[in-house]
Amino acid sequence: MIYGPLKVMDKTGHEVVLRSAQITDAENLINYLKITAAETPWLIREPEEVTLSFEQERSFIQRIMDSDRELMLVAIVDGKHAGNCSLMQAGEFKRYRHRCDVAIALYREYCGRGIGKIMMETVLKTAKELGYEQAELEVIADNESAIALYEKLGFENYGRFPNRMKYRDGKYADAYWMMKKL
């Protein structure tokens, strides 16, 4: 779906433009995946596992733009891509149409400025307007700042996935499954 642009202010007084990802964002979005994967242990990939071609990313963006129930929201601050927040249907089947998955990541330099909260609120409002009844997400159990944000937004923890990720050093990380009624 197409969203925005919507202009809001972050905690530092900088203007944030929220809008749908566009085909012209493909290169930036691939670089974003690589950089954020290197900046944090809480995403599912290692940087070298980001192997999407520009054509694959363009096709993905076009599919989301053409969808009437999915959204890839990007945040732009001072002309620079700050992060993404996605709204994806949980499945194609009628029995899943009430559920959506949400996910968010920001470049480290933009964390703590309220941008993530603004993006999540925007995506959750959109999800409700689209008829979704519940939003779901997965979060690594030691990602305390993300969990605090999700709880402020009304998400509750409904389960734990032990050893959900295994890092290069052999350590494991559990994950929580969180859900919010819309």
Side-chain angles (χ1 to χ4, degrees), residues 53-122:
S53 69
F54 294 127
E55 188 53 44
Q56 288 171 315
E57 185 66 7
R58 284 188 211 90
S59 293
F60 173 75
I61 294 167
Q62 188 65 58
R63 184 185 69 76
I64 300 300
M65 289 172 61
D66 292 343
S67 171
D68 60 351
R69 298 198 80 211
E70 295 184 323
L71 171 64
M72 176 65 68
L73 189 68
V74 298
I76 309 295
V77 178
D78 299 327
K80 291 176 54 182
H81 178 221
N84 292 4
C85 189
S86 64
L87 164 66
M88 308 298 269
Q89 58 190 6
E92 294 285 330
F93 301 109
K94 290 179 183 178
R95 293 180 181 181
Y96 275 27
R97 287 189 62 80
H98 67 291
R99 299 172 49 212
C100 65
D101 292 314
V102 295
I104 187 168
L106 298 171
Y107 286 106
R108 182 179 293 155
E109 69 181 285
Y110 295 102
C111 292
R113 294 171 54 169
I115 298 168
K117 182 179 180 195
I118 294 166
M119 293 182 81
M120 285 290 290
E121 289 171 337
T122 302

Side-chain angles (χ1 to χ4, degrees), residues 165-173:
M165 289 202 293
K166 183 176 180 180
Y167 297 111
R168 291 177 192 207
D169 64 4
K171 292 181 182 174
Y172 293 90

Side-chain angles (χ1 to χ4, degrees), residues 144-163:
E144 295 173 2
S145 60
I147 292 167
L149 170 63
Y150 302 147
E151 288 174 343
K152 281 181 195 173
L153 294 171
F155 282 86
E156 294 181 46
N157 182 351
Y158 284 92
R160 185 180 196 107
F161 298 106
N163 299 332

Side-chain angles (χ1 to χ4, degrees), residues 11-67:
K11 288 180 182 179
T12 66
H14 284 86
E15 183 178 84
V16 180
V17 177
L18 302 179
R19 63 164 174 79
S20 297
Q22 301 167 355
I23 300 297
T24 55
D25 293 320
E27 184 175 358
N28 282 339
L29 293 175
I30 291 171
N31 289 333
Y32 154 85
L33 288 172
K34 290 176 183 177
I35 292 168
T36 56
E39 288 182 334
T40 178
W42 298 311
L43 300 179
I44 63 172
R45 299 179 228 214
E46 295 291 340
E48 68 274 7
E49 292 177 308
V50 179
T51 59
L52 294 165
S53 69
F54 294 127
E55 188 53 44
Q56 288 171 315
E57 185 66 7
R58 284 188 211 90
S59 293
F60 173 75
I61 294 167
Q62 188 65 58
R63 184 185 69 76
I64 300 300
M65 289 172 61
D66 292 343
S67 171

